Amino acid sequence: MLLNACTFFSLLPLVAKVGKTSLIMSLVGEEFPNEVPARAEEITIPADVTPEKVPTHIVDYSETEQTDEVLRQEIVKANVVCVVYDVTQEETIDKVSSTKWIPLVNGGVEKGSKIPIILVGNKSDLRTGSSMENILPIMNQFSEIETCVECSARNLKNISELFYYAQKAVLHPTAPLYDPEDKQVRPLCVRALSRIFSISDQDNDRVLSDAELNCFQKSCFGNPLAPQALEDVKTVVWKNTSDGILDNGLTLNGFLFLNTLFIQRGRHETTWTILRRFGYDDTLELTDDYLYPQLRVPLGCSTELNHLGHQFLQKVFDKYDEDRDHALSPAELKNLFSVFPYMPWGAEAYSSVPTSELNHVSLHAFICQWTLWAYLDVQRCMEYLGYLGYPILTDQESQTTAITVSREKALDLEKGQTQRSVFLCKVIGPRGTGKSAFLQAFLGQSFTVRTRPSLYAVNTVQVANQEKYLILFEVDVETEFLKASDAACDVACLMYDFTDPNSFSYCASIYKQHFMNSSIPCVLVCCKADEVEVPQQYGMNPAEFCYKHRLPVPIRHSSLRPTAQIYSKLAWAAMYPYVHKQRKIMYTTDTSFPLLCVQRFFCHCALTEILLFLMFKLCMKLTIFCVCSHRHLNGSDMSSTSFWLRVTLGAAMVTVLGFALYRAFARSK
């Protein structure tokens, strides 16, 4: 069969008169047929009547009606082949292996692959003894033979068991797990079971305690072991191994022995249940469905770890912090990633998070790196969480529960607020400006310490008494912005050199080309501010350029005396972009954002204070005029005058409040 929609073909070839067609008809009709055709029609058994709950498609073969070429075509589509022989005729047993059928089956599949075979000895009701002594050498010769079943179509003996073993051979194949010649578990199976053991060893003490075993048992099979059953399992391991039990817990060798015992006793479905619970397929590789669960991320949205992801990673960190110094050494980090097929934490990772001089990774740095992975490549982040066993240990459906997809950025701009906690800042500037040093200063590191710094740096900043993650990305000066998405970010940091007269021109050009008409806020940073300033060779100086384009004045930065405030200002700009009514970007880089936005609105008019004062004087004169008129009028004239009196008094009060508010803002500047 083709294993599409959980369906498989069970092919029953052999010489005529061995009873293969009778077996099929006895299974379907539940009685021995009086008349047996040369070949049965193709039959599909529904899933709800099979032990493994999968539909079974059975294809019969007749040597008298069909050719070997037709048989080969069916073998290519089959998932399992049942080869039937007559237990009363030894020549049919010889024909199974030496002359025809198994060589024919092997020749019908791709080179290097083997299809499972079930040997079926029919007509057991006509023989008193067993044919197994003649079959065992054949089973030892061909590793693709899963099992042998003796049955009787006439007496309905072992008919349902035959098709159960056929299903089992497809769903729980022995070949990937066990080498019958060496009588050992295969290396790929050892690798998979070792990873499962490491994940299940939640305290990292190299043994599975009773609590960990029960947690593992419940996760894989739905129920924990009874206390006596648990003791019986450990007793079996203790009697048959020298190092399977340690400190009353199950070691890795004991765990491997148990699974070997299951396979040797024909209970390999137990091992397959464990493997599939932890994400493995029939080739003992982790499936794409397990590693890359579907997660929809609309355009304009970003991804970040949520509280479930943070909690899980903190437990992982604590598990592998063996010396309890609140930091992971390179050896501890290597141990943590031993459940991965490769080492994801390379040299660049060490230079993208704030590590110690000894390259030890704190919990803060560990979470920062995972935050970077989640933001830049959420599929890779979910893959890594899958390797660590997130769905199993947290009892969640998939890794998507550890990820939050943010609201669209356009909606954040419309509402004037965001719930995001991670922001991307692209650091742009000509070569030699000091971008790499700027990134390393963000991590509290000296640029000379790193020989090959990462293009990314991630750390936390304080914004309005909230902790936010800021990712700095150094844009390569040789890289051109080929499309609009290349400039996409939450805030752009345009850096120029205080001592280079041509440095600012590059920033001005980049701003005009990519950011002037966008909603992305920009912050100019003047580097090497501790040295002597030289005039910039541009049509206007940086301060005038900022005034013209409604940008905040350039922030001075020195790598010799870096301050955390500059990074907080970048985060502020990312969190609170303010769109001007003429669709030019105006935003704050100060931590007093709510006051400063209003203050800058007033400051755009140099005569604000004079105008407010004149408005106040005018309102007062109108009030006096209305009061005087009120004394000489009555009736309808008086009611009209009363209306204008109230309006004028209200305007005067608004003017007074506006003037007081403006003066308060001016003093706070």
Side-chain angles (χ1 to χ4, degrees), residues 304 352-354 364 368-369 371-372 375-376 420-427 438-439 442-443 456-463 466-473 489-493 523 563-575:
E304 54 190 62
S352 62
V353 295
H364 172 70
C368 281
Q369 182 61 42
T371 300
L372 182 64
Y375 186 92
L376 297 180
R420 294 168 55 196
S421 61
V422 185
F423 301 94
L424 174 65
C425 171
K426 289 192 174 179
V427 182
F438 184 74
L439 265 66
F442 183 42
L443 306 177
Y456 288 95
V458 55
N459 206 343
T460 53
V461 293
Q462 290 292 325
V463 180
Q466 299 179 49
E467 188 176 73
K468 303 293 181 181
Y469 289 89
L470 180 65
I471 300 172
L472 301 182
F473 172 60
C489 57
D490 298 307
V491 58
C493 177
V523 174
T563 61
Q565 186 179 12
I566 188 172
Y567 304 105
S568 295
K569 290 180 178 180
L570 289 171
W572 265 107
M575 286 185 65

Side-chain angles (χ1 to χ4, degrees), residues 239-261:
K239 287 182 177 180
N240 291 275
T241 63
S242 59
D243 56 353
I245 300 294
L246 180 65
D247 297 332
N248 201 36
L250 190 67
T251 66
L252 174 60
N253 286 338
F255 185 69
L256 294 175
F257 167 78
L258 271 181
N259 282 277
T260 305
L261 192 63

Side-chain angles (χ1 to χ4, degrees), residues 199-203 205 207-220 223-227 230-231 234 247-250 393:
I199 291 173
S200 303
D201 179 18
Q202 298 183 30
D203 56 7
D205 63 351
V207 297
L208 296 182
S209 64
D210 289 356
E212 289 169 340
L213 275 171
N214 272 326
C215 185
F216 165 82
Q217 179 77 11
K218 187 176 181 180
S219 177
C220 294
N223 295 301
L225 286 171
L230 193 59
E231 289 302 319
K234 290 191 290 186
D247 297 332
N248 201 36
L250 190 67
L393 295 178

Side-chain angles (χ1 to χ4, degrees), residues 548-563:
K548 177 181 178 181
H549 295 283
R550 306 189 190 283
L551 296 170
V553 295
I555 304 172
R556 296 193 174 192
H557 169 73
S558 170
S559 59
L560 298 179
R561 294 184 296 275
T563 61

Side-chain angles (χ1 to χ4, degrees), residues 68-259:
D68 289 351
E69 181 59 31
V70 173
L71 177 58
R72 290 189 185 95
Q73 293 175 3
E74 294 293 348
I75 289 173
V76 170
K77 297 186 294 182
N79 290 102
V80 59
V81 174
C82 298
V83 178
V84 185
Y85 65 92
D86 187 342
V87 297
T88 65
Q89 300 181 32
E90 292 196 7
E91 63 270 19
T92 64
I93 298 176
D94 295 336
K95 204 170 182 180
V96 166
S97 61
S98 59
T99 59
K100 185 160 187 173
W101 295 110
I102 292 182
L104 183 61
V105 171
N106 288 336
V109 296
E110 295 181 4
K111 186 177 181 181
S113 62
K114 294 182 179 180
I115 188 169
I117 295 175
I118 306 295
L119 294 183
V120 182
N122 193 23
K123 303 184 181 181
S124 63
D125 57 299
L126 301 178
R127 178 171 175 167
T128 55
S130 173
S131 64
M132 292 305 296
E133 60 183 20
N134 297 326
I135 291 298
L136 284 175
I138 300 175
M139 295 181 66
N140 292 331
Q141 181 182 357
F142 298 98
S143 60
E144 58 268 37
I145 298 177
E146 290 286 327
T147 189
C148 178
V149 183
E150 289 190 349
C151 56
S152 171
R154 183 177 297 277
N155 295 339
L156 305 183
K157 177 185 175 182
N158 289 339
I159 300 297
S160 60
E161 285 81 359
L162 157 63
F163 293 97
Y164 165 73
Y165 284 119
Q167 287 183 330
K168 188 176 176 181
V170 177
L171 300 175
H172 313 299
T174 305
L177 305 181
Y178 188 73
D179 187 340
E181 295 180 1
D182 296 337
K183 293 182 171 46
Q184 291 182 351
V185 177
R186 296 187 185 276
L188 281 178
C189 185
V190 171
R191 185 188 70 176
L193 291 173
S194 298
R195 171 181 168 268
I196 292 170
F197 180 89
S198 296
I199 291 173
S200 303
D201 179 18
Q202 298 183 30
D203 56 7
N204 198 33
D205 63 351
R206 279 74 174 177
V207 297
L208 296 182
S209 64
D210 289 356
E212 289 169 340
L213 275 171
N214 272 326
C215 185
F216 165 82
Q217 179 77 11
K218 187 176 181 180
S219 177
C220 294
F221 303 101
N223 295 301
L225 286 171
Q228 186 57 49
L230 193 59
E231 289 302 319
D232 291 344
V233 167
K234 290 191 290 186
T235 300
V236 170
V237 175
W238 177 76
K239 287 182 177 180
N240 291 275
T241 63
S242 59
D243 56 353
I245 300 294
L246 180 65
D247 297 332
N248 201 36
L250 190 67
T251 66
L252 174 60
N253 286 338
F255 185 69
L256 294 175
F257 167 78
L258 271 181
N259 282 277

Side-chain angles (χ1 to χ4, degrees), residues 401-449:
T401 59
I403 304 295
T404 292
V405 179
S406 72
R407 187 170 60 186
E408 290 186 25
K409 191 174 180 181
L411 191 57
D412 282 348
L413 288 171
E414 180 183 333
K415 293 185 175 294
Q417 60 181 357
T418 182
Q419 296 177 339
R420 294 168 55 196
S421 61
V422 185
F423 301 94
L424 174 65
C425 171
K426 289 192 174 179
V427 182
I428 307 167
R431 188 178 299 279
T433 303
K435 300 189 296 296
S436 297
F438 184 74
L439 265 66
Q440 292 304 301
F442 183 42
L443 306 177
Q445 304 285 355
S446 171
F447 176 62
T448 57
V449 173

